[in-house]
Amino acid sequence: DQQEPPPEAVDDIEEIEFVEEVSGLDTWDDQGRARDERTVNVLTARTARHGALLFILDHRTWKTFTDEPFHDFLGFDNGQLKIGLTARYGILDGLDVGLQRINGTADTFKIDTYDLDLRYQPLKQATHHLDLALRAGMTWFSVRDNEDDQGFFGQLLINRTFGRRVRTGTGLLYHSDSYNENKDPRFHDEHSMAVPLTFDLRFTPGFSWHTEMVVHVDGFEERYPVLSTSLRGTTNKHTFAFVVSNTQYFGATGIDTNTFRGRDDLILGFTITREFRFRRPAQ
């Protein structure tokens, strides 16, 4: 007969505080590594982990890196740098909140943008064959020495992982008052809508390639679709991505307007992510 454990042994048993769902379909949710927050500029459909805080630093140059590359250090010391600071927190499993600040760069109008949003993931690939998220938020345009402005945005984000190493994505991006180098939201009150196409390839658990194209479909637009690519290294707490793109923009507004830059006017940048976990993952 099976014997009951002595009372002192029961007291030594560690109580499991929570169980976190871990998908075995792919390597993009490896518990031992920081979670990818986006492809390059477009967010993925997977929210931040429950109880995890992501801190993201974005940096983009203005000058084309092939124009006097040694004089301007590939554009990194030319000025008009676009810098973004972002924090995302996983409120629940499948729900996170984000706050992003991006500096203004143009000499004609200096506008800092602040985005506050919620991202909700109702569908997960482990049970619904794809990841799907809805993202909605508000943008505050902080204008130096002038009147501020506001706008709102909504996004549909869809991803599907194949063969444990490949992830593709699409969706729909909308902003009520888009903004870029040639559009001041205070004087050109026009929306923009675009469709993103993303592709991610993980060579090893710690090294991956990411590329995306964002094609404008309605509202204010520039001439060329937004094209971006990056190589990314991932550790247990950090990601570092080296970026090549034809736009400085990486927030909710800007990438959905297309860009005035063609294939010969590319810029460089990087993205650094630090993940802080306040909940211990299940073993």
Side-chain angles (χ1 to χ4, degrees), residues 71-145:
H71 178 71
D72 293 315
F73 192 56
L74 301 174
F76 281 100
D77 61 1
N78 181 253
Q80 298 197 57
L81 303 176
K82 184 72 72 177
I83 299 173
L85 297 175
T86 307
R88 299 202 70 86
Y89 179 73
I91 303 173
L92 299 170
D93 183 26
L95 178 67
D96 66 5
V97 61
L99 176 62
Q100 181 180 65
R101 189 263 186 189
I102 303 176
N103 69 308
T105 57
D107 292 332
T108 53
F109 50 93
K110 292 186 178 294
I111 302 178
D112 300 330
T113 60
Y114 293 83
D115 290 333
L116 176 64
D117 74 274
L118 284 172
R119 179 173 50 172
Y120 170 58
Q121 183 185 357
L123 302 182
K124 297 183 179 181
Q125 180 169 327
T127 54
H128 297 90
H129 307 293
L130 56 82
D131 294 310
L132 182 146
L134 303 172
R135 183 185 179 213
M138 299 290 296
T139 299
W140 170 37
F141 300 100
S142 177
V143 186
R144 185 179 303 177
D145 301 325

Side-chain angles (χ1 to χ4, degrees), residues 59-65 72-82 181 243 245 247-249 261 266-270:
H59 191 290
R60 302 289 189 272
T61 64
W62 164 261
K63 190 174 182 180
T64 304
F65 67 89
D72 293 315
F73 192 56
L74 301 174
F76 281 100
D77 61 1
N78 181 253
Q80 298 197 57
L81 303 176
K82 184 72 72 177
E181 298 93 341
V243 177
S245 181
T247 183
Q248 271 196 312
Y249 288 82
R261 298 177 184 268
L266 301 177
I267 62 169
L268 300 180
F270 59 84

Side-chain angles (χ1 to χ4, degrees), residues 21-265:
E21 178 183 355
V22 179
S23 170
L25 296 176
D26 56 70
T27 61
W28 297 99
D29 228 358
D30 184 355
Q31 290 295 319
R33 297 184 180 274
R35 176 171 288 184
D36 286 318
E37 190 250 357
R38 65 180 93 168
T39 296
V40 182
N41 302 312
V42 180
L43 268 64
T44 69
R46 292 189 179 178
T47 61
R49 292 185 174 100
H50 183 193
L53 174 66
L54 295 174
F55 180 77
I56 304 106
L57 169 65
D58 285 288
H59 191 290
R60 302 289 189 272
T61 64
W62 164 261
K63 190 174 182 180
T64 304
F65 67 89
T66 56
D67 186 7
E68 299 181 305
F70 297 104
H71 178 71
D72 293 315
F73 192 56
L74 301 174
F76 281 100
D77 61 1
N78 181 253
Q80 298 197 57
L81 303 176
K82 184 72 72 177
I83 299 173
L85 297 175
T86 307
R88 299 202 70 86
Y89 179 73
I91 303 173
L92 299 170
D93 183 26
L95 178 67
D96 66 5
V97 61
L99 176 62
Q100 181 180 65
R101 189 263 186 189
I102 303 176
N103 69 308
T105 57
D107 292 332
T108 53
F109 50 93
K110 292 186 178 294
I111 302 178
D112 300 330
T113 60
Y114 293 83
D115 290 333
L116 176 64
D117 74 274
L118 284 172
R119 179 173 50 172
Y120 170 58
Q121 183 185 357
L123 302 182
K124 297 183 179 181
Q125 180 169 327
T127 54
H128 297 90
H129 307 293
L130 56 82
D131 294 310
L132 182 146
L134 303 172
R135 183 185 179 213
M138 299 290 296
T139 299
W140 170 37
F141 300 100
S142 177
V143 186
R144 185 179 303 177
D145 301 325
N146 213 317
E147 185 177 354
D148 294 347
D149 199 6
Q150 299 82 33
F152 67 89
F153 59 91
Q155 297 181 352
L156 170 67
L157 305 168
I158 301 172
N159 291 112
R160 180 72 167 87
T161 303
F162 301 91
R164 299 176 59 87
R165 300 289 183 181
V166 174
R167 182 173 62 192
T168 60
T170 186
L172 188 65
L173 312 177
Y174 172 84
H175 202 288
S176 67
D177 197 2
S178 53
Y179 163 54
N180 63 20
E181 298 93 341
N182 298 320
K183 182 176 184 293
D184 187 328
R186 297 170 298 164
F187 308 127
H188 303 89
D189 186 10
E190 188 176 359
H191 73 275
S192 290
M193 185 180 296
V195 173
L197 300 172
T198 65
F199 178 83
D200 308 87
L201 174 62
R202 179 156 283 180
F203 300 109
T204 69
F207 184 64
S208 54
W209 172 54
H210 308 258
T211 188
E212 66 185 29
M213 177 171 65
V214 181
V215 183
H216 171 274
V217 294
D218 189 52
F220 178 86
E221 67 174 319
E222 298 285 1
R223 181 176 180 182
Y224 301 102
V226 172
L227 302 172
S228 305
T229 189
S230 70
L231 290 174
R232 180 179 301 157
T234 306
T235 70
N236 64 327
K237 296 180 180 179
H238 299 83
T239 70
F240 180 86
F242 180 74
V243 177
V244 180
S245 181
N246 66 345
T247 183
Q248 271 196 312
Y249 288 82
F250 44 82
T253 180
I255 61 173
D256 49 6
T257 66
N258 280 359
T259 178
F260 73 91
R261 298 177 184 268
R263 293 178 298 175
D264 298 328
D265 195 11

Side-chain angles (χ1 to χ4, degrees), residues 1-22:
D1 296 336
Q2 189 176 11
Q3 297 181 352
E4 294 291 332
E8 59 271 14
V10 175
D11 295 337
D12 293 337
I13 297 176
E14 181 180 358
E15 181 181 357
I16 299 177
E17 298 179 357
F18 71 97
V19 176
E20 181 173 349
E21 178 183 355
V22 179

